[in-house]
């Protein structure tokens, strides 16, 4: 898996590179010292995953994520890296299209696992933390949640609605298959249909849409 690092602190990039480059299946192919630098580097190098600092001067990780996902063909997965998990910046980055987030104090094995999980895209990265963020911030983003929830339910088949609820619980495709007593290929088809009908790119945005619409409620 090819990775690009984006952080305005060189020491942070050096530490991330050392951890990731020690893994045989991971390769750091480039670095950017700012959000503005990130877009052309990602466009040129076409990585699978970008590790993006969420707070940077001038162009922050939120705007850089939007630009990458909006302008790069077949864009990479983005993991935002942050100091504080309960942060509106992190939630905004997820809404902008980031596939997950990682704390700067994360252990080396957590960093490596996060990259692999996001690259596979068949499960949610740190589901409890994503749900907690969505539960705290989502209500303020959906002013007419009853109508939104009704519209979302009308778009989904009964099976797709079940799959979406299980996705918000953080279950992987194999876990959903076991829960529903169907094959993994069937679950993959349902997940794809859910993402298409919600107009989102991956599971993280599907979870946010489920909470913001009121389809799933905290508690």
């Amino acid at each position: 898996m090819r990775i690009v690092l984006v952080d305005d602190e060189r020491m942070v990039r050096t530490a991330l590179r050392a951890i990731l480059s020690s893994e045989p299946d991971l390769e750091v192919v480039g670095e950017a010292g700012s959000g503005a630098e990130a877009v052309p580097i990602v466009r040129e190098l076409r990585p699978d995953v970008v590790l993006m600092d969420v707070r940077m001067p001038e162009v922050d990780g939120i705007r850089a994520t939007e630009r990458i996902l909006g302008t790069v063909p077949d864009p990479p997965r983005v993991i935002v890296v942050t100091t504080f998990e309960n942060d509106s910046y992190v939630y905004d980055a997820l809404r902008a299209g980031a596939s997950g987030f990682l704390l700067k104090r994360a252990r080396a094995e957590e960093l490596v696992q996060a990259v692999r999980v996001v690259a596979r895209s068949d499960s949610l990265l740190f589901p409890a933390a994503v749900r907690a963020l969505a539960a705290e911030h989502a209500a303020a983003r959906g002013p007419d949640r009853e109508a939104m929830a009704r519209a979302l339910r009308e778009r989904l088949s009964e099976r797709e609605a079940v799959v979406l609820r299980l996705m918000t619980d953080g279950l992987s495709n194999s876990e959903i298959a076991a829960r529903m007593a169907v094959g993994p290929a069937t679950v993959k088809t349902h997940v794809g249909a859910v993402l298409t009908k919600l107009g989102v790119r991956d599971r993280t945005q599907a979870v946010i849409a489920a909470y913001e619409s009121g389809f799933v409620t905290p508690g």
Side-chain angles (χ1 to χ4, degrees):
M1 283 176 277
R2 295 163 55 82
I3 304 160
V4 162
L5 308 175
V6 184
D7 197 295
D8 60 334
E9 295 186 32
R10 182 182 295 275
M11 290 182 62
V12 172
R13 300 199 307 272
T14 299
L16 292 174
R17 177 182 281 274
I19 293 168
L20 296 168
S21 297
S22 67
E23 299 295 319
D25 59 329
L26 305 180
E27 179 187 9
V28 176
V29 295
E31 299 181 12
S34 70
E37 292 176 12
V39 180
I41 288 175
V42 169
R43 187 179 291 116
E44 176 186 356
L45 298 177
R46 307 301 296 275
D48 302 296
V49 176
V50 175
L51 284 175
M52 176 81 69
D53 185 18
V54 73
R55 291 178 180 265
M56 292 180 288
E58 298 181 14
V59 179
D60 62 20
I62 301 167
R63 303 285 85 77
T65 296
E66 288 178 336
R67 292 179 186 179
I68 288 171
L69 298 182
T71 65
V72 176
D74 191 18
R77 304 284 175 176
V78 177
I79 302 174
V80 292
V81 184
T82 179
T83 303
F84 307 105
E85 62 182 292
N86 190 12
D87 188 334
S88 61
Y89 272 78
V90 175
Y91 189 71
D92 287 341
L94 297 179
R95 291 184 87 244
S99 296
F101 71 92
L102 187 70
L103 296 178
K104 287 194 173 182
R105 63 176 181 272
R107 299 188 302 272
E109 58 268 27
E110 291 177 324
L111 168 63
V112 171
Q113 179 66 5
V115 170
R116 290 174 177 151
V117 167
V118 165
R120 287 198 308 266
S121 72
D122 63 352
S123 58
L124 195 64
L125 179 62
F126 304 138
V130 172
R131 288 199 306 271
L133 271 173
E136 178 174 354
H137 296 281
R141 311 301 179 104
D144 190 358
R145 303 181 78 216
E146 184 176 343
M148 292 171 65
R150 184 168 58 253
L152 193 153
R153 284 193 295 267
E154 289 173 353
R155 272 181 278 167
L156 301 178
S157 70
E158 184 176 341
R159 277 290 181 93
E160 290 163 357
V162 172
V163 167
L164 177 56
R165 291 189 185 280
L166 294 176
M167 287 167 62
T168 64
D169 287 339
L171 273 63
S172 66
N173 284 2
S174 59
E175 291 168 332
I176 294 173
R179 182 75 63 87
M180 298 179 66
V182 298
T186 299
V187 172
K188 186 175 181 179
T189 298
H190 286 321
V191 169
V194 169
L195 300 183
T196 298
K197 290 182 178 181
L198 268 59
V200 298
R201 183 167 180 254
D202 63 22
R203 304 169 91 92
T204 302
Q205 280 73 55
V207 170
I208 290 172
Y211 273 95
E212 289 195 353
S213 68
F215 178 82
V216 172
T217 55

